Amino acid sequence: MRNIKQLSLTITVSVLTALATLYFGKAYIMEQLPQLTESPAEIAQPIKFTNYVPGPTTQEGLTDFTHAAKLATPGVVHVKTLSVQSPANHQPHPLEQLFGYRFGNPHQNQPRRASGSGVIISSDGYIVTNNHVIKEADEIEISLNNNKSYKAELIGSDPNTDLALLKIDAQNLDYIPFGNSDSLQIGSWVLAVGNPFNLASTVTAGIVSAKGRNINILEGNAPIESFIQTDAAVNPGNSGGALVDISGNLIGINTAIASPTGSYSGYAFAVPSNLAGKVVQDLMQYGLVQRGFLGVSIRNIDQKLANELEIDNLEGVYIQEVMEGSAAKDAGIKSGDIILKINDKSVRTASHLQEVVAQYRPGDQLKVEYLRNGNLSASMVELKNKNQGTELLSKEEVTTLDVLGVELEELSRSELKALGLENGIRVSKIKDGKVSKYTDMREGFIISSIDKQPIRSKEDVINLMANKKGGVMIEGKYEDYPGSYYYAFGM
């Protein structure tokens, strides 16, 4: 009995001790916590439902990519090319360039296969891709998202923007509509759709990291680099594919990556859709890009230049030089002016200015606003073509003269008489092309005949050379040297 009483006393003491520990321990913990003065409503954390609502975004503003992916994926194609190229160690026979015939083993040519991506931009089969995807291709095959395949025709290409336009014989195709790349904001969500590493219809997501990027990668006589930079994963095979916004509109053509390894490392670049759309329209309508030029040499305004100019504002683009006979010269724009706007659109950098101007054609008039000696001025500028005329150029003229690598200037009757010639045309400029590569012709040479056919105008040269194959013989003279000169090369 005594033992039972002792056990009961022990249990009672233990329970009382535990209750006291809990009470005073709670009081101690509460003393250590900071005292909150806000009301429960003020300190409540945001809590949201996670239900799914179809469309570009959910009700609560959470980004959803399935809508854009569903719209864009059927409009992106796989571009496969086949080209026949000579082995790297093949040394051409001197007569090969002259007469267009390969000497030696005809089986030395080796087929080369490559692939990339493309974007269907119309229901009747027009497709835009990169120029470097189809460059030197002898055959182009298009595979649709539904695995159907077509042979493609090259409508035209533009190395200056690295774009090309293809056409397949098909109707009622799903296509991606052009969006407005100017409306993109830094941080906007975008999707890249393409065929990296031959993995068809791959979709990746990212944001717009920057705009107006110049990475010095494009070829051409006057390249335009004003890329949209994104961190959406882009790899080899994505070239020519679509960059779309979350509404599924085309806002760029994926073109390049910056990478030490050759694979994606966080930096991808796309041609803006506003520029691509204009290039595509030109290729579709004219067979070549009708590019308008201001005729100025420009540079970005950095702090060093601002200090030299004694200006505080670093906005706009500085004009270093104005070319004689250019559109800017005719409009009264001078070296030292700072261009702020074109057609009421602010220009931030030299590459951005080039992008804006490249959206117009020769003969188009632009309102250019600029600072001169601290004063705001404006001029109407009529853009010119690369030959400093305001008319549109023909495909035959551009193609032929680009292949030759020359600019031509017609002579008056008095000039011809002074030279003792009945006909002829002056080579006013020599650029990269057949003439510079295979002859030592100098600027100022007067072409009097080609393959013994008299030359009286630029059109004569174009008509004779447009579809020429094989050897070409050009005859003429220089103003300051006696006798005739002859230049031969192969087409």
Side-chain angles (χ1 to χ4, degrees):
M1 189 68 179
R2 183 180 178 181
N3 289 339
I4 294 174
K5 288 181 178 181
Q6 288 179 342
L7 180 60
S8 298
L9 179 61
T10 301
I11 293 172
T12 301
V13 171
S14 298
V15 171
L16 291 173
T17 302
L19 291 172
T21 300
L22 288 171
Y23 177 82
F24 291 108
K26 179 179 179 182
Y28 174 78
I29 291 171
M30 292 301 292
E31 286 178 358
Q32 305 305 310
L33 290 175
Q35 298 301 305
L36 301 178
T37 58
E38 295 88 351
S39 67
E42 291 174 319
I43 64 172
Q45 296 298 313
I47 300 174
K48 298 183 179 181
F49 293 108
T50 56
N51 63 309
Y52 167 73
V53 179
T57 59
T58 67
Q59 276 186 334
E60 304 299 334
L62 301 177
T63 303
D64 169 47
F65 301 116
T66 58
H67 177 75
K70 183 178 180 180
L71 291 176
T73 301
V76 175
V77 302
H78 205 164
V79 180
K80 302 174 184 179
T81 64
L82 174 67
S83 59
V84 179
Q85 63 177 12
S86 300
N89 60 356
H90 173 68
Q91 298 297 322
H93 191 283
L95 294 181
E96 287 180 14
Q97 294 296 338
L98 182 58
F99 296 106
Y101 176 81
R102 178 166 296 285
F103 289 74
N105 185 357
H107 301 292
Q108 283 183 324
N109 288 351
Q110 298 176 344
R112 175 177 172 269
R113 298 183 184 276
S115 67
S117 303
V119 182
I120 304 174
I121 58 171
S122 68
S123 62
D124 58 348
Y126 281 99
I127 296 168
V128 62
T129 185
N130 284 136
N131 176 62
H132 74 260
V133 170
I134 53 81
K135 184 179 179 182
E136 299 178 357
D138 295 302
E139 295 180 10
I140 304 173
E141 181 183 341
I142 299 297
S143 294
L144 304 186
N145 183 251
N146 61 10
N147 294 324
K148 288 185 177 181
S149 295
Y150 299 85
K151 294 295 183 183
E153 174 191 1
L154 176 62
I155 302 300
S157 61
D158 179 38
N160 289 314
T161 54
D162 196 24
L163 294 172
L165 183 65
L166 309 176
K167 179 70 168 65
I168 60 174
D169 187 12
Q171 298 292 329
N172 302 318
L173 298 176
D174 291 319
Y175 65 95
I176 305 179
F178 278 91
N180 180 10
S181 55
D182 286 345
S183 66
L184 278 181
Q185 301 294 320
I186 306 302
S188 298
W189 282 107
V190 289
L191 295 183
V193 189
N195 306 281
F197 303 117
N198 283 324
L199 299 172
S201 302
T202 297
V203 180
T204 57
I207 63 169
V208 174
S209 306
K211 297 175 66 177
R213 286 293 198 212
N214 185 328
I215 57 176
N216 297 314
I217 194 174
L218 297 188
E219 301 174 353
N221 295 321
I224 305 170
E225 294 195 19
S226 187
F227 292 116
I228 299 167
Q229 180 183 325
T230 174
D231 65 353
V234 171
N235 279 292
N238 272 110
S239 286
L243 189 70
V244 301
D245 60 23
I246 59 172
S247 296
N249 297 312
L250 183 67
I251 46 85
I253 301 297
N254 294 316
T255 299
I257 56 176
S259 168
T261 64
S263 297
Y264 174 75
S265 61
Y267 307 95
F269 304 91
V271 178
S273 62
N274 287 4
L275 176 58
K278 189 268 180 183
V279 170
V280 165
Q281 287 178 359
D282 281 358
L283 293 176
M284 196 180 297
Q285 186 172 353
Y286 306 106
L288 76 159
V289 177
Q290 300 286 355
R291 184 173 174 186
F293 291 87
L294 283 176
V296 295
S297 173
I298 54 179
R299 62 173 287 188
N300 294 326
I301 301 177
D302 53 21
Q303 190 60 58
K304 181 180 178 181
L305 179 59
N307 291 340
E308 293 175 2
L309 299 175
E310 298 181 348
I311 59 175
D312 296 326
N313 196 341
L314 274 65
E315 295 180 355
V317 179
Y318 180 75
I319 298 180
Q320 287 184 301
E321 184 182 0
V322 178
M323 313 304 175
E324 289 296 328
S326 67
K329 183 76 171 181
D330 292 349
I333 295 175
K334 298 181 179 180
S335 173
D337 291 344
I338 299 173
I339 297 180
L340 300 176
K341 292 183 178 181
I342 295 180
N343 277 2
D344 297 323
K345 183 182 296 184
S346 296
V347 290
R348 306 178 301 273
T349 63
S351 58
H352 184 220
L353 185 148
Q354 289 179 313
E355 176 195 343
V356 172
V357 174
Q359 296 175 33
Y360 297 91
R361 300 183 176 99
D364 287 345
Q365 294 195 354
L366 309 183
K367 178 184 177 183
V368 179
E369 297 179 48
Y370 53 92
L371 284 176
R372 177 180 297 168
N373 299 324
N375 299 315
L376 184 64
S377 300
S379 296
M380 294 302 298
V381 179
E382 185 177 16
L383 296 180
K384 294 188 175 184
N385 60 39
K386 62 181 182 179
N387 299 328
Q388 295 194 345
T390 58
E391 68 278 1
L392 300 180
L393 300 175
S394 69
K395 181 179 180 180
E396 292 75 18
E397 176 181 350
V398 172
T399 303
T400 300
L401 298 184
D402 279 350
V403 169
L404 292 175
V406 297
E407 292 182 11
L408 302 176
E409 179 182 82
E410 297 187 5
L411 300 172
S412 65
R413 290 185 179 180
S414 59
E415 288 176 310
L416 289 171
K417 184 177 181 180
L419 292 168
L421 295 173
E422 293 184 2
N423 55 270
I425 190 168
R426 179 184 287 115
V427 178
S428 59
K429 188 173 183 179
I430 295 178
K431 305 174 291 186
D432 290 340
K434 294 281 188 179
V435 168
S436 64
K437 188 173 183 179
Y438 300 114
T439 79
D440 58 357
M441 183 187 294
R442 299 189 306 277
E443 292 179 359
F445 181 69
I446 312 297
I447 299 174
S448 58
S449 69
I450 297 178
D451 292 341
K452 298 185 178 181
Q453 298 295 315
I455 299 298
R456 295 181 173 84
S457 65
K458 186 187 298 184
E459 286 68 30
D460 287 345
V461 176
I462 294 166
N463 292 336
L464 275 171
M465 302 294 292
N467 299 307
K468 180 71 177 178
K469 301 293 182 182
V472 174
M473 180 68 74
I474 296 179
E475 179 182 358
K477 64 181 299 183
Y478 291 96
E479 294 184 46
D480 301 328
Y481 296 93
S484 297
Y485 290 75
Y486 300 85
Y487 298 104
F489 52 89
M491 291 290 287

